[in-house]
Amino acid sequence: MGKVTQLLLHPVELKAALKLKFIRKPLYSLEDTKETPELKRCYQLLTKTSRSFAAVIMELHPELRNAIMLFYLILRALDTVEDDMTIDSQVKVPLLREFDSKLDLEDWSFDGNAPTEKDRCVLVEFPCILKELHKLKPEYQKVIKEITHKMGNGMASYILDENFNLNGVSTIKDYNLYCHYVAGLVGDGLTQLIVLANFGSQDLYTESAQTFESMGLFLQKTNIIRDYAEDLEDGRSFWPQEIWSLYANKLVDFSKPEHTQAGVHCINHLVLNALGHIEDVLLFLSSVHEQSSFQFCAIPQVMAIATLAMVFNNPVVLHENVKIRKGTTCYLILKSRTLRGCVEIFQYYLRDIKKRLPVDDPNYLKINIKIGKIEQYIEEMYQEQLPAGVAPKETTIYKKVQQRSTYDAKVAPKQTDEEYQFNMALTMVLTLAAAIVFYVK
Ligand code: IN0
């Protein structure tokens, strides 16, 4: 179904798409910084590697924009080496283990990727990344190097792990460890950068590693559930055997019609496991103060809960990738600019999951209990349903939410003004249309 038809069938999303395109003003834009040819090329590479998310990075506060853009490109380079099945492990393993040492070089590039590897350009044109990396504050460079070292070695250890290559991920512990190396560490690095820039509460990094770890794991686990069919096609699997072996003898069985119900039960079990990260995600978001950094952190998380609701109890996932509508992404980008907006999005999709949870699902009770616990946590965040005269409990999360609400309060007037501008424009267009129809008649 064409994009336009989809939008016309979802007027709320059409409105969001028009607002995002014509009314919303970015907080910061690239235009306001002088760009060297190398920096310009880096942002072009960024746009090539991730269309939609590149725009979010380009709207970041100038203090962190280049650091996060370069961090993103370097991680994409590492990912492109790890993903390329044509590179012999004799070459791949040392390359991954020593990748961080390449960051100290003035002029290094790699042309060994298969021509079909979509982001090979990032490695071929690595010199412009190195040039801009060495212009960053030393403390930012140190963080990027440290995370690249840990991730490169983590990925290398999996390449060599025979059992992993044969049977994929076996235990839930392995599942969390694999997700730690490819996504948890990203949360570690980004949190250090946000704290160093003083864009979040000082305890964001020291409070608990689990909090920023969950930011990465919630995204990665959602992608792993969504990409079941695509990964199997590429001869890879990341679903933990400890879970899927409860529903089938072989992981590939789920793609057979007679095992569809078992496959759906397995999807729902994996969704239950991913729901375990939501409270940490909400705690993390309530600790990010600088607005463009908040939006940078919030957008992937609200996209993930929308995707998780879409894969939930959905047999289509066993045969093809499902994607949320473009219109939905526009609506989520506008609404996720405040913590309150993010909480309402999570509440909406958790209720959607609960509504579509079949009573005969083996995890019916556990999923209901988990969603109930998250609802309780959200109540503790705002404590707005308290009986008269009962004072809110000053818990850590409550105080962090109170503080974040002062930043939310600065966003709300902008959202109201956008609504006003949209209604004005709509009234003009409708009046004009009516006038034309009246005179033509
Ligand atoms: C990301 C994450 C990301 C953003 C903000 C805060 C984060 C905190 C912890 C961990 C990751 C965090 O966001 C991107 C989003 C993205 O690239 N989305 C793609 C869609 C997609 O499906 O790829 C898009 O085009 O919109 C993300 O998914 N990852 C990522 C990579 C590097 C950085 Cl610096 C930040 C990838 C991953 C594997 C989930 C970490």
mmCIF file of all heavy atoms in Angstrom, residues 50-53 68 71-72 75-76 182-183 186-187 190 212 215-216 219-220 223 226 296-297 300-301, ligand 1:
data_model
loop_
_atom_site.group_PDB
_atom_site.id
_atom_site.type_symbol
_atom_site.label_atom_id
_atom_site.label_comp_id
_atom_site.label_asym_id
_atom_site.label_seq_id
_atom_site.Cartn_x
_atom_site.Cartn_y
_atom_site.Cartn_z
ATOM 1 N N SER A 50 22.431 5.465 7.884
ATOM 2 C CA SER A 50 21.126 5.367 8.568
ATOM 3 C C SER A 50 20.299 6.610 8.261
ATOM 4 O O SER A 50 20.438 7.653 8.886
ATOM 5 C CB SER A 50 21.338 5.280 10.070
ATOM 6 O OG SER A 50 20.220 5.862 10.697
ATOM 7 N N ARG A 51 19.367 6.448 7.337
ATOM 8 C CA ARG A 51 18.618 7.622 6.853
ATOM 9 C C ARG A 51 17.946 8.335 8.033
ATOM 10 O O ARG A 51 18.326 9.411 8.432
ATOM 11 C CB ARG A 51 17.550 7.187 5.852
ATOM 12 C CG ARG A 51 17.816 7.678 4.449
ATOM 13 C CD ARG A 51 17.058 6.809 3.460
ATOM 14 N NE ARG A 51 17.459 5.423 3.557
ATOM 15 C CZ ARG A 51 18.674 4.992 3.222
ATOM 16 N NH1 ARG A 51 19.577 5.840 2.808
ATOM 17 N NH2 ARG A 51 18.980 3.719 3.320
ATOM 18 N N SER A 52 17.029 7.677 8.688
ATOM 19 C CA SER A 52 16.170 8.409 9.628
ATOM 20 C C SER A 52 16.948 8.843 10.860
ATOM 21 O O SER A 52 16.850 9.977 11.296
ATOM 22 C CB SER A 52 14.984 7.537 10.034
ATOM 23 O OG SER A 52 15.477 6.297 10.492
ATOM 24 N N PHE A 53 17.816 7.983 11.390
ATOM 25 C CA PHE A 53 18.471 8.338 12.642
ATOM 26 C C PHE A 53 19.554 9.387 12.442
ATOM 27 O O PHE A 53 19.879 10.136 13.360
ATOM 28 C CB PHE A 53 19.052 7.094 13.319
ATOM 29 C CG PHE A 53 19.274 7.295 14.788
ATOM 30 C CD1 PHE A 53 18.246 7.665 15.611
ATOM 31 C CD2 PHE A 53 20.542 7.151 15.332
ATOM 32 C CE1 PHE A 53 18.446 7.883 16.970
ATOM 33 C CE2 PHE A 53 20.756 7.355 16.685
ATOM 34 C CZ PHE A 53 19.709 7.733 17.507
ATOM 35 N N ILE A 68 29.273 12.141 18.864
ATOM 36 C CA ILE A 68 28.311 11.031 18.706
ATOM 37 C C ILE A 68 28.234 10.583 17.245
ATOM 38 O O ILE A 68 28.139 9.387 16.953
ATOM 39 C CB ILE A 68 26.935 11.444 19.266
ATOM 40 C CG1 ILE A 68 27.009 11.540 20.793
ATOM 41 C CG2 ILE A 68 25.844 10.464 18.836
ATOM 42 C CD1 ILE A 68 25.720 11.922 21.483
ATOM 43 N N PHE A 71 31.293 8.454 16.774
ATOM 44 C CA PHE A 71 31.095 7.208 17.537
ATOM 45 C C PHE A 71 30.180 6.273 16.734
ATOM 46 O O PHE A 71 30.464 5.085 16.556
ATOM 47 C CB PHE A 71 30.478 7.559 18.908
ATOM 48 C CG PHE A 71 30.384 6.410 19.895
ATOM 49 C CD1 PHE A 71 31.361 5.418 19.972
ATOM 50 C CD2 PHE A 71 29.325 6.348 20.797
ATOM 51 C CE1 PHE A 71 31.266 4.374 20.880
ATOM 52 C CE2 PHE A 71 29.215 5.302 21.725
ATOM 53 C CZ PHE A 71 30.193 4.325 21.761
ATOM 54 N N TYR A 72 29.096 6.831 16.181
ATOM 55 C CA TYR A 72 28.120 6.049 15.397
ATOM 56 C C TYR A 72 28.804 5.431 14.166
ATOM 57 O O TYR A 72 28.650 4.234 13.895
ATOM 58 C CB TYR A 72 26.960 6.956 14.955
ATOM 59 C CG TYR A 72 25.764 6.235 14.388
ATOM 60 C CD1 TYR A 72 24.705 5.855 15.200
ATOM 61 C CD2 TYR A 72 25.691 5.920 13.027
ATOM 62 C CE1 TYR A 72 23.596 5.188 14.684
ATOM 63 C CE2 TYR A 72 24.588 5.255 12.506
ATOM 64 C CZ TYR A 72 23.543 4.899 13.342
ATOM 65 O OH TYR A 72 22.452 4.220 12.820
ATOM 66 N N LEU A 75 31.292 2.635 15.135
ATOM 67 C CA LEU A 75 30.561 1.410 15.513
ATOM 68 C C LEU A 75 29.966 0.739 14.274
ATOM 69 O O LEU A 75 29.974 -0.486 14.150
ATOM 70 C CB LEU A 75 29.460 1.751 16.518
ATOM 71 C CG LEU A 75 29.926 2.256 17.886
ATOM 72 C CD1 LEU A 75 28.731 2.672 18.732
ATOM 73 C CD2 LEU A 75 30.752 1.206 18.598
ATOM 74 N N ARG A 76 29.535 1.554 13.320
ATOM 75 C CA ARG A 76 28.990 0.992 12.079
ATOM 76 C C ARG A 76 30.105 0.291 11.295
ATOM 77 O O ARG A 76 29.896 -0.767 10.717
ATOM 78 C CB ARG A 76 28.352 2.112 11.270
ATOM 79 C CG ARG A 76 27.533 1.697 10.066
ATOM 80 C CD ARG A 76 26.574 0.592 10.318
ATOM 81 N NE ARG A 76 25.462 0.997 11.199
ATOM 82 C CZ ARG A 76 24.176 1.040 10.772
ATOM 83 N NH1 ARG A 76 23.903 0.772 9.519
ATOM 84 N NH2 ARG A 76 23.213 1.390 11.566
ATOM 85 N N VAL A 182 27.301 -5.844 21.590
ATOM 86 C CA VAL A 182 26.923 -5.094 20.389
ATOM 87 C C VAL A 182 26.020 -3.894 20.690
ATOM 88 O O VAL A 182 25.858 -3.028 19.832
ATOM 89 C CB VAL A 182 26.220 -6.003 19.364
ATOM 90 C CG1 VAL A 182 27.154 -7.109 18.888
ATOM 91 C CG2 VAL A 182 24.945 -6.583 19.947
ATOM 92 N N ALA A 183 25.440 -3.820 21.894
ATOM 93 C CA ALA A 183 24.513 -2.715 22.194
ATOM 94 C C ALA A 183 24.680 -2.147 23.608
ATOM 95 O O ALA A 183 24.635 -0.934 23.812
ATOM 96 C CB ALA A 183 23.072 -3.168 21.994
ATOM 97 N N VAL A 186 27.373 0.333 23.827
ATOM 98 C CA VAL A 186 27.011 1.613 23.200
ATOM 99 C C VAL A 186 26.364 2.515 24.241
ATOM 100 O O VAL A 186 26.661 3.704 24.342
ATOM 101 C CB VAL A 186 26.060 1.387 22.014
ATOM 102 C CG1 VAL A 186 25.630 2.717 21.400
ATOM 103 C CG2 VAL A 186 26.712 0.507 20.959
ATOM 104 N N GLY A 187 25.514 1.934 25.063
ATOM 105 C CA GLY A 187 24.888 2.681 26.154
ATOM 106 C C GLY A 187 25.935 3.184 27.135
ATOM 107 O O GLY A 187 25.870 4.329 27.606
ATOM 108 N N LEU A 190 27.790 6.188 25.358
ATOM 109 C CA LEU A 190 26.938 7.381 25.221
ATOM 110 C C LEU A 190 26.672 8.026 26.578
ATOM 111 O O LEU A 190 26.654 9.250 26.716
ATOM 112 C CB LEU A 190 25.626 7.003 24.534
ATOM 113 C CG LEU A 190 25.724 6.674 23.051
ATOM 114 C CD1 LEU A 190 24.418 6.087 22.534
ATOM 115 C CD2 LEU A 190 26.092 7.925 22.239
ATOM 116 N N PHE A 212 22.003 1.989 31.947
ATOM 117 C CA PHE A 212 22.378 2.298 30.556
ATOM 118 C C PHE A 212 22.543 1.015 29.742
ATOM 119 O O PHE A 212 22.345 1.000 28.530
ATOM 120 C CB PHE A 212 23.627 3.182 30.479
ATOM 121 C CG PHE A 212 24.887 2.652 31.104
ATOM 122 C CD1 PHE A 212 25.598 1.613 30.523
ATOM 123 C CD2 PHE A 212 25.361 3.211 32.288
ATOM 124 C CE1 PHE A 212 26.767 1.140 31.103
ATOM 125 C CE2 PHE A 212 26.534 2.748 32.869
ATOM 126 C CZ PHE A 212 27.235 1.702 32.278
ATOM 127 N N MET A 215 19.290 0.281 28.098
ATOM 128 C CA MET A 215 18.996 1.139 26.935
ATOM 129 C C MET A 215 19.436 0.439 25.652
ATOM 130 O O MET A 215 18.737 0.440 24.656
ATOM 131 C CB MET A 215 19.727 2.480 27.089
ATOM 132 C CG MET A 215 19.164 3.410 28.130
ATOM 133 S SD MET A 215 17.619 4.162 27.596
ATOM 134 C CE MET A 215 18.169 5.396 26.435
ATOM 135 N N GLY A 216 20.578 -0.214 25.689
ATOM 136 C CA GLY A 216 21.083 -0.929 24.515
ATOM 137 C C GLY A 216 20.379 -2.246 24.309
ATOM 138 O O GLY A 216 19.989 -2.602 23.186
ATOM 139 N N LEU A 219 16.829 -2.167 22.729
ATOM 140 C CA LEU A 219 16.867 -1.949 21.275
ATOM 141 C C LEU A 219 17.323 -3.216 20.553
ATOM 142 O O LEU A 219 16.689 -3.670 19.592
ATOM 143 C CB LEU A 219 17.819 -0.802 20.949
ATOM 144 C CG LEU A 219 17.511 0.585 21.507
ATOM 145 C CD1 LEU A 219 18.566 1.592 21.031
ATOM 146 C CD2 LEU A 219 16.126 1.040 21.116
ATOM 147 N N GLN A 220 18.423 -3.807 21.036
ATOM 148 C CA GLN A 220 18.997 -4.967 20.342
ATOM 149 C C GLN A 220 18.069 -6.170 20.367
ATOM 150 O O GLN A 220 17.891 -6.854 19.361
ATOM 151 C CB GLN A 220 20.350 -5.321 20.969
ATOM 152 C CG GLN A 220 21.101 -6.446 20.282
ATOM 153 C CD GLN A 220 21.497 -6.129 18.850
ATOM 154 O OE1 GLN A 220 21.583 -4.976 18.464
ATOM 155 N NE2 GLN A 220 21.704 -7.174 18.060
ATOM 156 N N ASN A 223 15.278 -5.738 17.901
ATOM 157 C CA ASN A 223 15.770 -6.016 16.534
ATOM 158 C C ASN A 223 15.921 -7.515 16.301
ATOM 159 O O ASN A 223 15.562 -8.030 15.241
ATOM 160 C CB ASN A 223 17.118 -5.318 16.307
ATOM 161 C CG ASN A 223 17.006 -3.800 16.288
ATOM 162 O OD1 ASN A 223 15.904 -3.245 16.215
ATOM 163 N ND2 ASN A 223 18.138 -3.122 16.386
ATOM 164 N N ARG A 226 12.519 -9.098 15.772
ATOM 165 C CA ARG A 226 11.987 -8.645 14.478
ATOM 166 C C ARG A 226 12.690 -9.304 13.289
ATOM 167 O O ARG A 226 12.072 -9.626 12.275
ATOM 168 C CB ARG A 226 12.150 -7.117 14.393
ATOM 169 C CG ARG A 226 11.712 -6.465 13.097
ATOM 170 C CD ARG A 226 12.308 -5.068 12.924
ATOM 171 N NE ARG A 226 13.751 -5.111 12.803
ATOM 172 C CZ ARG A 226 14.522 -4.019 12.888
ATOM 173 N NH1 ARG A 226 13.968 -2.842 13.157
ATOM 174 N NH2 ARG A 226 15.836 -4.115 12.771
ATOM 175 N N PHE A 296 17.454 12.363 21.337
ATOM 176 C CA PHE A 296 18.355 11.379 20.713
ATOM 177 C C PHE A 296 18.220 10.020 21.404
ATOM 178 O O PHE A 296 18.220 8.970 20.769
ATOM 179 C CB PHE A 296 19.796 11.888 20.821
ATOM 180 C CG PHE A 296 20.867 10.874 20.520
ATOM 181 C CD1 PHE A 296 21.170 10.518 19.214
ATOM 182 C CD2 PHE A 296 21.596 10.291 21.552
ATOM 183 C CE1 PHE A 296 22.153 9.578 18.933
ATOM 184 C CE2 PHE A 296 22.580 9.348 21.283
ATOM 185 C CZ PHE A 296 22.851 8.992 19.970
ATOM 186 N N CYS A 297 18.063 10.043 22.743
ATOM 187 C CA CYS A 297 17.938 8.794 23.513
ATOM 188 C C CYS A 297 16.525 8.226 23.475
ATOM 189 O O CYS A 297 16.339 7.007 23.467
ATOM 190 C CB CYS A 297 18.346 9.051 24.967
ATOM 191 S SG CYS A 297 20.090 9.429 25.175
ATOM 192 N N PRO A 300 14.808 6.177 19.621
ATOM 193 C CA PRO A 300 14.962 4.745 19.348
ATOM 194 C C PRO A 300 14.167 3.868 20.322
ATOM 195 O O PRO A 300 13.654 2.820 19.958
ATOM 196 C CB PRO A 300 16.470 4.516 19.530
ATOM 197 C CG PRO A 300 17.084 5.832 19.308
ATOM 198 C CD PRO A 300 16.123 6.821 19.878
ATOM 199 N N GLN A 301 14.007 4.345 21.589
ATOM 200 C CA GLN A 301 13.292 3.545 22.591
ATOM 201 C C GLN A 301 11.796 3.480 22.294
ATOM 202 O O GLN A 301 11.180 2.417 22.396
ATOM 203 C CB GLN A 301 13.542 4.115 23.993
ATOM 204 C CG GLN A 301 14.997 4.176 24.418
ATOM 205 C CD GLN A 301 15.683 2.834 24.504
ATOM 206 O OE1 GLN A 301 15.035 1.814 24.788
ATOM 207 N NE2 GLN A 301 16.977 2.806 24.222
HETATM 208 C C1 IN0 B 1 22.574 3.675 18.722
HETATM 209 C C2 IN0 B 1 21.176 3.690 19.323
HETATM 210 C C3 IN0 B 1 21.094 4.553 20.573
HETATM 211 C C4 IN0 B 1 20.640 5.861 20.485
HETATM 212 C C5 IN0 B 1 20.533 6.640 21.664
HETATM 213 C C6 IN0 B 1 20.863 6.134 22.913
HETATM 214 C C7 IN0 B 1 21.327 4.796 22.997
HETATM 215 C C8 IN0 B 1 21.652 4.259 24.273
HETATM 216 C C9 IN0 B 1 22.100 2.957 24.359
HETATM 217 C C10 IN0 B 1 22.236 2.163 23.216
HETATM 218 C C11 IN0 B 1 21.918 2.661 21.958
HETATM 219 C C12 IN0 B 1 21.459 3.978 21.823
HETATM 220 O O1 IN0 B 1 20.168 4.080 18.418
HETATM 221 C C13 IN0 B 1 20.291 3.572 17.105
HETATM 222 C C14 IN0 B 1 18.980 3.869 16.377
HETATM 223 C C15 IN0 B 1 19.156 3.540 14.880
HETATM 224 O O2 IN0 B 1 20.217 3.552 14.340
HETATM 225 N N1 IN0 B 1 18.005 3.218 14.275
HETATM 226 C C16 IN0 B 1 18.013 2.861 12.878
HETATM 227 C C17 IN0 B 1 16.962 1.793 12.662
HETATM 228 C C18 IN0 B 1 17.535 0.499 12.758
HETATM 229 O O3 IN0 B 1 16.707 -0.404 12.917
HETATM 230 O O4 IN0 B 1 18.765 0.409 12.561
HETATM 231 C C19 IN0 B 1 17.507 3.955 12.046
HETATM 232 O O5 IN0 B 1 17.930 4.006 10.927
HETATM 233 O O6 IN0 B 1 16.619 4.637 12.554
HETATM 234 C C20 IN0 B 1 20.604 2.083 17.073
HETATM 235 O O7 IN0 B 1 19.736 1.250 16.735
HETATM 236 N N2 IN0 B 1 21.889 1.715 17.387
HETATM 237 C C21 IN0 B 1 22.886 2.647 17.791
HETATM 238 C C22 IN0 B 1 24.183 2.567 17.261
HETATM 239 C C23 IN0 B 1 25.119 3.526 17.610
HETATM 240 C C24 IN0 B 1 24.784 4.575 18.486
HETATM 241 CL CL1 IN0 B 1 25.940 5.782 18.885
HETATM 242 C C25 IN0 B 1 23.507 4.651 19.032
HETATM 243 C C26 IN0 B 1 22.295 0.312 17.099
HETATM 244 C C27 IN0 B 1 22.282 -0.617 18.359
HETATM 245 C C28 IN0 B 1 22.852 -1.953 17.907
HETATM 246 C C29 IN0 B 1 20.875 -0.800 18.849
HETATM 247 C C30 IN0 B 1 23.128 -0.055 19.460
#
